[in-house]
Amino acid sequence: MPVLDAPAYPVVDGIAVADVDGENQTCACGNDSYAADWYAADSEGAITFDSSGSTNPDEHTLCPACGRLYRNTDLFTGTAAAVARYDTHSPAYLAALEQYERDAYGKDRS
Ligand SMILES: [Zn+2]
């Protein structure tokens, strides 16, 4: 199994709640997916645009505001416990978000 480049992994705390139709998710930190797009992560928890829009239950969804990582399969149930939390100040995390944005939008937005 690849090693996650996430110093805080796995710190587990917090619960996300998805509304009934699964359209919106609210993170334990208060951020919801209407306020800021959540990011996708693969089955190893690595942040990647390749997993965007995935319905693969083994893949993950990331709250970019606090770095909490949730399993898709848990979000589908309506209540998801965070399985990990990235250190949102770590260079690796910020680089992963930048790469994601480049892949998603084809340019830097900074
Ligand atoms: Zn959050």
Side-chain angles (χ1 to χ4, degrees):
M1 176 181 292
V3 176
L4 275 175
D5 191 5
Y9 198 92
V11 174
V12 179
D13 70 336
I15 301 283
V17 179
D19 66 10
V20 278
D21 59 8
E23 283 290 307
N24 192 28
Q25 293 128 19
T26 303
C27 182
C29 75
N31 179 41
D32 70 30
S33 53
Y34 284 156
D37 280 345
W38 288 28
Y39 286 46
D42 67 14
S43 59
E44 304 293 340
I47 300 162
T48 172
F49 185 65
D50 290 345
S51 296
S52 177
S54 171
T55 55
N56 183 337
D58 292 329
E59 295 189 329
H60 295 83
T61 299
L62 172 83
C63 170
C66 67
R68 284 185 178 84
L69 192 67
Y70 299 98
R71 287 184 70 210
N72 287 348
T73 188
D74 294 333
L75 287 170
F76 296 157
T77 69
T79 304
V83 295
R85 186 171 182 179
Y86 281 92
D87 175 356
T88 57
H89 299 292
S90 79
Y93 178 81
L94 296 171
L97 292 196
E98 267 185 34
Q99 181 63 52
Y100 189 102
E101 296 259 317
R102 272 196 296 274
D103 292 344
Y105 303 107
K107 60 182 170 64
D108 284 308
R109 297 203 302 174
S110 57

